[in-house]
Amino acid sequence: MEPAEIISHTGGVIGAGWLLIALPLLGAAVLLLGGRRTDKWGHFLGVALAVASFVVAVLAFVQLLGFAPGERRRGVALYEFIPGVANMGLLIDPLSISFALLITGVGSLIHIYSIGYMSHDTDRRRFFGYLNLFVAAMLLLVLADNYVALFIGWEGVGLASYLLIGFWQYKPSAATAAKKAFVVNRVGDFGLLIAIFIMFSTFGSVAFADVFPKAGGASAGTLTAIGLLLLLGACGKSAQLPLQSWLLDAMEGPTPVSALIHAATMVTAGVYLVVRSGAAFFPADSTASLVVTIVGVATLLAGAIIGTAKDDIKKALAGSTMSQIGYMMLAAGLGVAGYAFAIAHLITHGFFKANLFLGAGSVMHGMNDEVDMRKYGGLRSLMPITFVTFLIGYLAIIGFPLLSGYFTKDGIIETAMEHSAILGWLAVIGAGITGFYMSRLVFMTFFGERRWAADAHPHESPSVMTWPLIVLSIGSIGLGGYLILSNRLMVFLGPAVGQPEELPAFHFFSPVGLATLALVALGAAYAWLKYGRAEVPAVAPRGSFLTTFARRDLYGDALNEALFMRPGQWLTRLAVFFDNRGIDGVVNGLAAGIGGTSGRLRRIQTGYVRSYALSIFIGAAVLAGAWFVVGTL
């Protein structure tokens, strides 16, 4: 079934949907332009406006539910943006409101947590300004009713992530990580921009309401090109192969940044783009959708393998994020049958991964900002709230029965298995690896012997940090079952993304599900043998080639250096050589020749009259001789 038509809307909270974006944007303007005078209360303003935006999102969601399912796509016109190309407007439908609730809800909890986490930072006000700017840009991205406005939000998110990753720019590693994220994302953004150009030249518009109905009339080659270019943009934002190399370095930013950008919101933008464009450019049997599934399954395995060898707690979780987004991409590439599972896993992942990242931040808060898990151990008794909430997030992400991840990830695996046994079994293997690396993380951090330094004094975090953990852990428990059972989310999303002819039913403990649980249990048991029961060495052993392969991020940086950086350096050197010896050589040689000639000619200007008379005499003699010779011929 195709998505419903967009209905123009002006009244109620939906008609004032621009407030969703304006409120955090106002906070960013006040905090970033107000200067030091806002230091004392700026963080409270940032939290208040994020919460206010969440309240608007809830009210808009309630109003949307009041319409019949076929009337839940509401367009809100704002103003003429680019005459003849795009008007600035919002699309509030089941897909965009789901993202708005996630961004503002989880974002508000992260804002609250940041009050405690950043309490000793002298630039806390600037940090909250950047957080507000990011939330506003992300909301524009998901609420835009056309690709140009979406692209503005897309670039705003990229700017905000650059500022937040490099927030502690006095650290060379943070500054380098910010630049790396910015450059890699620009590669993907270039693909999205070219896709928008092709859309406008093909359909004469970039508005969803114009492009999607006309897509069926375009050639297969055009649709495939647009789909692959959109996927390139999605790979950049969502850290999917081959544009994944920035994500692990991005952990240099403060931990709330990792939770907000690299767990709950920004890295999901690529999934949103594919699902939003799915009906037009990613039909289930197309080349573009096949590439999406291949990228998704390759990334979920790559991220999981990377996570097995990281001792930095945040980088291990970053590898996990890369892997889980891969599951969402896999589902998004399966067409309408997979969209609901992709979005359900995206929403639940926002809860349990933000829970895990903030839990890691809580551990770091009590361990003098130490990130090496080999210097943790035995923290469960000293940080009980952090431990229990982290344990819930861990159980959710590995797919423990009846927790959120069990419903959403198993739903993706079953749908993939129906589409292709190869994709399905690769997803099952990824789940088994997830069981290992997440169990490894928990055992090294909270169990075993205490391995921390003598100057460390682990303690529980303040309540302003633990209460967001508790709320997020509650969502990690029950949200997945609520969304998946009875196909609640699939039915709700139907007007926005379409629905399959037959609604699937979730199968408790299906054969595929049992195989997945078995592999997860084996992975967890192996982690217990290596890291729970056995002594964890202070320094990681050298390990096998596969271990080195994982520790070096599957040689992603080395590959980028060999394929792009080195050839770029050689090309630059060649260009400099050609410029110096070629263009500059010609210009400088011409100037030198003229200068040398003028210098030599200047020597005959002696100023003596007798020299000039002699020259005239010689010239006259030559002319006379020439006349005589010519006359005798």
Side-chain angles (χ1 to χ4, degrees):
M1 186 179 72
E2 293 294 323
E5 293 185 1
I6 298 175
I7 300 174
S8 179
H9 191 97
T10 56
V13 180
I14 291 178
W18 55 271
L19 285 172
L20 281 164
I21 304 168
L23 289 170
L25 191 60
L26 173 64
V30 171
L31 295 178
L32 297 178
L33 301 178
R36 292 294 181 185
R37 69 193 67 159
T38 64
D39 280 353
K40 293 183 178 180
W41 47 266
H43 51 289
F44 293 119
L45 176 67
V47 171
L49 290 176
V51 173
S53 185
F54 173 65
V55 171
V56 175
V58 171
L59 294 176
F61 171 67
V62 172
Q63 185 179 358
L64 196 67
L65 290 178
F67 300 117
E71 300 177 354
R72 289 178 180 167
R73 300 194 77 198
R74 299 280 164 159
V76 181
L78 298 180
Y79 58 88
E80 188 177 38
F81 181 47
I82 304 177
V85 177
N87 293 324
M88 184 61 71
L90 306 180
L91 173 59
I92 298 182
D93 67 355
L95 181 61
S96 63
I97 201 64
S98 297
F99 272 84
L101 289 169
L102 175 67
I103 294 164
T104 57
V106 175
S108 295
L109 292 172
I110 294 171
H111 276 70
I112 295 170
Y113 175 95
S114 299
I115 293 176
Y117 190 87
M118 302 293 291
S119 59
H120 301 297
D121 197 297
T122 56
D123 280 334
R124 178 169 62 172
R125 177 261 314 166
R126 180 167 60 90
F127 179 77
F128 276 85
Y130 291 161
L131 286 185
N132 274 191
L133 176 64
F134 173 83
V135 170
M138 190 69 196
L139 286 169
L140 175 60
L141 190 160
V142 300
L143 293 172
D145 69 350
N146 65 83
Y147 282 100
V148 169
L150 181 151
F151 186 75
I152 294 173
W154 193 273
E155 292 302 295
V157 166
L159 170 63
S161 68
Y162 168 78
L163 296 172
L164 286 166
I165 294 169
F167 180 75
W168 290 322
Q169 70 269 19
Y170 56 84
K171 296 167 56 180
S173 57
T176 300
K179 288 187 289 185
K180 183 177 182 180
F182 193 81
V183 170
V184 174
N185 271 271
R186 297 293 75 73
V187 176
D189 296 352
F190 182 76
L192 175 57
L193 191 62
I194 297 300
I196 294 173
F197 290 157
I198 296 175
M199 287 181 205
F200 183 71
S201 64
T202 304
F203 308 115
S205 174
V206 293
F208 299 156
D210 296 329
V211 170
F212 294 164
K214 296 178 181 178
S219 67
T222 299
L223 296 180
T224 299
I226 293 175
L228 294 178
L229 288 167
L230 291 175
L231 176 60
L232 180 62
C235 286
K237 277 291 182 287
S238 293
Q240 300 292 283
L241 293 173
L243 300 179
Q244 83 293 347
S245 61
W246 65 271
L247 183 62
L248 275 77
D249 291 329
M251 297 302 108
E252 289 292 337
T255 300
V257 175
S258 303
L260 179 64
I261 294 181
H262 310 122
T265 53
M266 176 177 140
V267 290
T268 63
V271 180
Y272 169 80
L273 181 65
V274 172
V275 173
R276 173 62 79 189
S277 308
F281 305 116
F282 297 98
D285 58 346
S286 68
T287 301
S289 63
L290 174 63
V291 176
V292 172
T293 59
I294 293 172
V295 167
V297 78
T299 306
L300 74 87
L301 289 172
I305 292 170
I306 289 172
T308 62
K310 294 298 180 184
D311 293 330
D312 184 320
I313 187 171
K314 289 174 64 178
K315 289 191 176 183
L317 290 173
S320 171
T321 295
M322 179 180 160
S323 179
Q324 297 303 308
I325 301 295
Y327 276 101
M328 300 172 207
M329 278 291 186
L330 169 61
L334 299 176
V336 177
Y339 291 159
F341 290 114
I343 300 303
H345 195 55
L346 185 152
I347 294 172
T348 57
H349 176 266
F351 277 82
F352 59 67
K353 184 53 67 65
N355 180 19
L356 291 170
F357 264 116
L358 296 184
S362 181
V363 171
M364 293 165 57
H365 182 269
M367 292 292 292
N368 297 333
D369 290 328
E370 179 60 64
V371 297
D372 189 348
M373 294 184 292
R374 294 183 180 275
K375 298 178 181 179
Y376 292 164
L379 293 178
R380 66 185 186 280
S381 60
L382 299 174
M383 310 179 72
I385 299 177
T386 299
F387 168 64
V388 172
T389 54
F390 198 96
L391 185 65
I392 292 172
Y394 153 72
L395 294 174
I397 196 172
I398 67 173
F400 192 81
L402 304 184
L403 270 71
S404 287
Y406 170 74
F407 294 98
T408 57
K409 189 158 67 174
D410 275 29
I412 292 174
I413 292 173
E414 286 194 23
T415 306
M417 192 70 75
E418 294 174 1
H419 186 81
S420 166
I422 295 175
L423 293 176
W425 283 114
L426 289 175
V428 170
I429 293 172
I433 302 175
T434 302
F436 169 74
Y437 73 76
M438 286 304 303
S439 299
R440 172 183 181 269
L441 189 154
V442 170
F443 295 148
M444 291 179 70
T445 302
F446 296 103
F447 292 86
E449 297 294 327
R450 300 178 177 183
R451 304 181 298 276
W452 58 76
D455 61 343
H457 302 285
H459 58 277
E460 186 59 272
S461 299
S463 58
V464 73
M465 294 172 64
T466 55
W467 272 109
L469 294 177
I470 294 171
V471 175
L472 290 168
S473 65
I474 293 173
S476 303
I477 294 172
L479 190 57
Y482 177 78
L483 295 176
I484 295 301
L485 295 179
S486 302
N487 291 303
R488 288 186 180 89
L489 185 62
M490 185 170 290
V491 173
F492 178 66
L493 291 176
V497 301
Q499 286 182 351
E501 297 297 329
E502 182 178 351
L503 295 177
F506 184 84
H507 301 99
F508 286 91
F509 305 110
S510 65
V512 175
L514 290 174
T516 303
L517 287 176
L519 277 182
V520 169
L522 286 174
Y526 183 56
W528 171 255
L529 291 175
K530 287 201 66 174
Y531 301 98
R533 190 180 68 174
E535 181 180 353
V536 177
V539 179
R542 182 171 182 178
S544 64
F545 169 77
L546 290 177
T547 302
T548 304
F549 188 55
R551 285 177 184 162
R552 296 188 179 181
D553 304 339
L554 312 186
Y555 293 102
D557 287 337
L559 183 64
N560 287 336
E561 182 176 331
L563 292 180
F564 302 107
M565 192 188 84
R566 295 300 178 195
Q569 288 179 331
W570 296 334
L571 183 62
T572 301
R573 290 169 185 167
L574 179 63
V576 170
F577 176 82
F578 177 73
D579 183 63
N580 290 339
R581 300 297 179 87
I583 298 175
D584 286 355
V586 171
V587 174
N588 294 335
L590 180 62
I594 294 175
T597 302
S598 63
R600 292 180 178 85
L601 290 175
R602 188 169 59 247
R603 293 175 183 173
I604 66 175
Q605 302 294 323
T606 62
Y608 294 112
V609 174
R610 61 180 179 271
S611 299
Y612 297 155
L614 179 61
S615 300
I616 294 171
F617 176 76
I618 293 172
V622 169
L623 289 174
W627 175 80
F628 177 76
V629 171
V630 171
T632 59
L633 293 177

